[in-house]
């Protein structure tokens, strides 16, 4: 099993560009989430989903969109990239919100 | 609102015992996770406490007091490879603290 797969691993964008960070899991997990991690800030929850067709906002949702059309995939869209969105992004999945989360390897995103 | 506090940094010596504390104030609470994160890597699961008390798992133990909004992670017989950040996180939404960076010295 691949677990949680994030692509790309690295990306550089210009301010104002849009892009989609991909996340896929092959464990049939219902719960998926996106975090960003900045130095000294820990992991901050952006959006999460408790199942296909259901998404909700986390702590820092502004500037990001998500959708969950299938159980396996949970893409994160940056609508108009800003330098403040430079960060490491982690996707995670679990059977439920009260089960251990499995994390992807992260996407390192730089906005110039 | 949600507030989770951990010390920013701790140091310890190889073979020693270290306790990393986590205090929380959250609007909803189902349980508390501890994760380990080595530099440049993804977090990995260590423990999950739902009920008050101590959960032991090898060299690592985790304690929870729901009435006090308090948890700690206890690491025994420290090894160099334990140098990492330790993150506590509270459910129902999985909200993380800022993490404690532990450095183990020989």
């Amino acid at each position: 099993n691949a677990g949680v797969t994030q692509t790309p691993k690295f990306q550089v964008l210009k301010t104002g560009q849009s892009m989609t960070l991909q996340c896929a899991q092959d464990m049939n997990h219902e719960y998926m989430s996106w975090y960003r991690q900045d130095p000294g800030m820990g992991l901050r929850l952006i959006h999460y989903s408790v199942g296909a067709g259901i998404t909700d906002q986390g702590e820092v949702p502004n500037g990001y969109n998500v959708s969950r059309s299938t159980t396996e995939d949970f893409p994160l869209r940056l609508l108009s990239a800003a330098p403040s969105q430079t960060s490491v992004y982690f996707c995670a999945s679990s059977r439920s919100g009260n089960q251990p989360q499995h994390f992807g390897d992260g996407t390192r995103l730089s906005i110039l | 609102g949600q507030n989770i506090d951990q010390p920013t940094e701790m140091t310890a010596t190889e073979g020693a015992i270290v306790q990393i504390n986590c205090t929380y104030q959250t609007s909803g609470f189902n349980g508390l996770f501890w994760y380990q994160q080595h530099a440049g890597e993804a977090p990995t699961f260590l423990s999950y406490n739902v009920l008050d008390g101590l959960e032991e798992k090898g060299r690592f133990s985790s304690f929870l007091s729901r009435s006090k909004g308090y948890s700690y992670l206890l690491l025994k017989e420290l090894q160099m490879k334990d140098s990492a950040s330790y993150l506590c996180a509270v459910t129902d939404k999985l909200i993380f603290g800022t993490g404690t960076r532990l450095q183990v010295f020989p």
Side-chain angles (χ1 to χ4, degrees), chain A residues 50-69:
Chain A
V50 299
I54 306 169
T55 64
D56 204 350
Q57 296 181 350
E59 303 169 272
V60 288
N62 292 342
Y64 307 95
N65 275 358
V66 292
S67 60
R68 185 93 181 270
S69 56

Side-chain angles (χ1 to χ4, degrees), chain A residues 3-5 8 11 19 63 73 103 109:
Chain A
V4 179
T5 302
Q11 184 69 50
M19 83 159 292
D73 299 299
F103 284 82
L109 183 63

Side-chain angles (χ1 to χ4, degrees), chain B residues 11-25:
Chain B
T11 60
T13 305
E14 201 172 12
I17 299 173
V18 70
Q19 177 175 312
I20 302 174
N21 296 326
C22 173
T23 58
Y24 63 89
Q25 292 177 308

Side-chain angles (χ1 to χ4, degrees), chain B residues 61-80:
Chain B
S61 303
S62 56
F63 172 84
L64 176 66
S65 168
R66 294 175 69 126
S67 61
K68 295 182 179 178
Y70 168 69
S71 174
Y72 68 73
L73 181 69
L74 193 70
L75 291 74
K76 304 174 188 175
E77 301 169 15
L78 280 172
Q79 302 174 9
M80 297 295 291

Side-chain angles (χ1 to χ4, degrees), chain A residues 33-112:
Chain A
S33 52
W34 275 102
Y35 296 89
R36 60 178 290 175
Q37 187 170 36
D38 305 300
M41 296 292 289
L43 286 163
R44 290 186 290 170
L45 182 65
I46 304 172
H47 285 285
Y48 66 99
S49 169
V50 299
I54 306 169
T55 64
D56 204 350
Q57 296 181 350
E59 303 169 272
V60 288
N62 292 342
Y64 307 95
N65 275 358
V66 292
S67 60
R68 185 93 181 270
S69 56
T70 67
T71 300
E72 293 78 20
D73 299 299
F74 190 44
L76 178 73
R77 296 183 189 84
L78 279 70
L79 308 173
S80 177
S84 61
Q85 293 178 305
T86 293
S87 189
V88 180
Y89 291 84
F90 286 103
C91 177
S93 75
S94 59
R95 290 182 191 171
S96 72
N98 297 321
Q99 294 287 321
Q101 294 215 20
H102 299 256
F103 284 82
D105 290 335
T107 295
R108 284 143 185 84
L109 183 63
S110 294
I111 316 295
L112 305 178

